[in-house]
Amino acid sequence: MLLAVLMACQGGFFPLASTSALLAYGAFLGVWGALWIVAVRPRVAGAFASFPVARLVPTLAFLLVGALYAVSAIVHGLPADSLVQCAPWALGALAAAVCAGLDGRQARALVAGVAWLGVASSLAGALMFAGIPPVGGAVNAGRLQFLFQYANAAGAWFACTALLCLRADDPRLRRCATAPLAALLLTQSMGAILACAVVASACVAVRVVRSGAGERAASYAEATSFLVQGVLAAIVFLLFALPADHMVGEGLGIASLAVATASFYRFWPAMDHRLRRGWIGGTALALSACVLAVGALLVALLLHDRLVQATATFAERALQAGDAWRVLAASPLLGIGPDQWQFTYPAIQSAEYESTLVHNSYLQLGLNAGVLAPAALISAGAWAVAAGSPEWRSTAFPALAILALHALIDFDLEFSFFVVLAAVLMGTARQRS
């Protein structure tokens, strides 16, 4: 629910949304906690005594980042209202703390719920791309920005959703990747598309290589399912983009997405059954990979201008990162203060560019609160990977990998939505059945 609320508020990019969400969520948890203590008072002491403290590592990491924000703001003499920059990290800490109290079944249900939210938002995003309903800022320059009103952030979210579908425990979710993959293409976010392709390829390769002889057919079937949905998503995107008449393209796109999604969901189980029982799994996987490669080539040709633009943008972001690194190296302990890069860079920039935020979440985090802030976040992510249960590694880890990769080339962590999403993915790592 918290993620859905933040999504509806432009991803919690602006401090007012994050602060309001923090107050509301904190009040809800306070009331719920008080009722829980009253209801189970005789068992409260035993419950806390037996609680595995290691699960609180992500919570403590997010609290540390928020505290570093506050200390940096105070030390640099910033106005009191700059403390609202701590709100996303306090929200993340609360979300991670809640996740730490879940058992394995509840944690898996939560991750599945996040995936279903992503599928629903993907379908909503495709409709918004066609102007149904017309939402201001949802589409700009032919790119789907969704409710984040930033195409790259939307791309990161849809890529996470696609990867959650790829490795979901629920077979129904594994048949729902068409919509998030199509929505990802509609954002034309090259960084998110590339990150999704890299992580998905790694997941498929590891799944196939590590499966035993008895599991090989099942791994072929699961990989083929995802690749076929990638083909369908490419077709949907081409039908959206190719027609000269935008209204025709939007109509064809929506109709094709509806047909592709519903048809695959309905008819794939029969094909999946055949692939799992026969020798054709490897052949089907190779064939679907070839078809997907052709579809990717057609999409790349269609997006030639966008690829050229993205290449130039990447070069500019590399210059920004270099400038940001020099500023951070001069003040590593506490950075330059929350949201101060926009006032600092004009005097030190090595080339002409305009960007109030560094398109690298780790550098931006370091500038806001010092090098300990990104170090704490990276450490929490490393802990989640090392301590995660096998179920978590197969389901939630790919989405966390997408977040980690995309954060290298964009300011995702300025959206409290992605801070909370990372906290949820890390916080559910140790929960076993």
Side-chain angles (χ1 to χ4, degrees), residues 67-404:
L68 289 170
Y69 264 74
V71 171
S72 180
I74 293 170
V75 170
H76 287 95
L78 301 181
D81 59 7
S82 65
L83 294 177
V84 298
Q85 300 288 340
C86 305
W89 301 98
L91 264 178
L94 286 177
V98 170
C99 292
L102 303 179
D103 59 28
R105 179 184 59 82
Q106 293 168 333
R108 288 194 299 275
L110 176 59
V111 174
V114 172
W116 283 117
L117 173 64
V119 171
S121 62
S122 301
L123 293 169
L127 288 172
M128 290 178 191
F129 190 82
I132 309 171
V135 177
V139 180
N140 183 49
R143 300 178 65 190
L144 175 62
Q145 299 194 132
F146 191 52
L147 297 177
F148 299 105
Q149 297 194 4
Y150 184 52
N152 293 338
W157 167 234
F158 296 137
C160 286
T161 300
L163 269 295
L164 286 174
C165 290
L166 169 63
R167 300 301 301 131
D169 293 327
D170 189 341
R172 297 173 301 173
L173 263 174
R174 292 200 295 269
R175 306 200 304 271
C176 291
T178 304
L181 288 172
L184 170 60
L185 292 175
L186 289 173
T187 67
Q188 299 182 35
S189 174
M190 297 306 161
I193 292 171
L194 180 60
C196 184
V198 169
V199 176
S201 298
C203 288
V204 169
V206 170
R207 175 78 169 96
V208 171
V209 170
R210 296 183 65 179
S211 58
E215 300 176 342
R216 189 63 54 83
S219 63
Y220 284 157
E222 291 175 7
T224 302
S225 169
F226 190 76
L227 294 181
V228 170
Q229 291 181 89
V231 172
L232 294 175
I235 293 172
V236 170
F237 174 77
L238 291 172
L239 289 175
F240 261 114
L242 281 177
D245 189 311
H246 288 299
M247 293 187 64
V248 172
E250 291 166 357
L252 286 174
I254 290 298
S256 63
L257 178 61
V259 171
T261 302
S263 298
F264 186 89
Y265 189 90
R266 170 64 179 82
F267 296 111
W268 180 256
M271 178 60 69
D272 182 78
H273 180 70
R274 292 186 177 89
L275 291 177
R276 289 172 185 266
R277 294 191 60 181
W279 57 269
I280 61 171
T283 303
L285 178 61
L287 179 61
S288 59
C290 291
V291 175
L292 179 58
V294 173
L297 179 60
L298 292 174
V299 170
L301 291 174
L302 182 63
L303 296 179
H304 176 264
D305 291 341
R306 171 63 191 146
L307 284 169
V308 172
Q309 180 190 34
T311 302
T313 301
F314 181 80
E316 180 181 299
R317 292 181 182 187
L319 290 173
Q320 291 177 24
D323 292 342
W325 180 256
R326 287 195 296 274
V327 173
L328 181 58
S331 183
L333 188 58
L334 292 174
I336 58 175
D339 205 28
Q340 295 305 295
W341 168 255
Q342 60 181 317
F343 307 116
T344 303
Y345 85 89
I348 57 89
Q349 62 187 140
S350 56
E352 286 297 324
Y353 59 79
E354 294 183 10
S355 180
T356 57
L357 291 166
V358 181
H359 286 73
N360 181 309
S361 292
Y362 305 110
L363 284 173
Q364 183 65 55
L365 193 54
L367 291 171
N368 287 342
V371 295
L372 290 178
L377 185 65
I378 293 170
S379 298
W383 171 89
V385 174
S389 66
E391 297 86 359
W392 181 87
R393 288 196 186 101
S394 66
T395 55
F397 171 67
L400 187 62
I402 286 284
L403 288 180

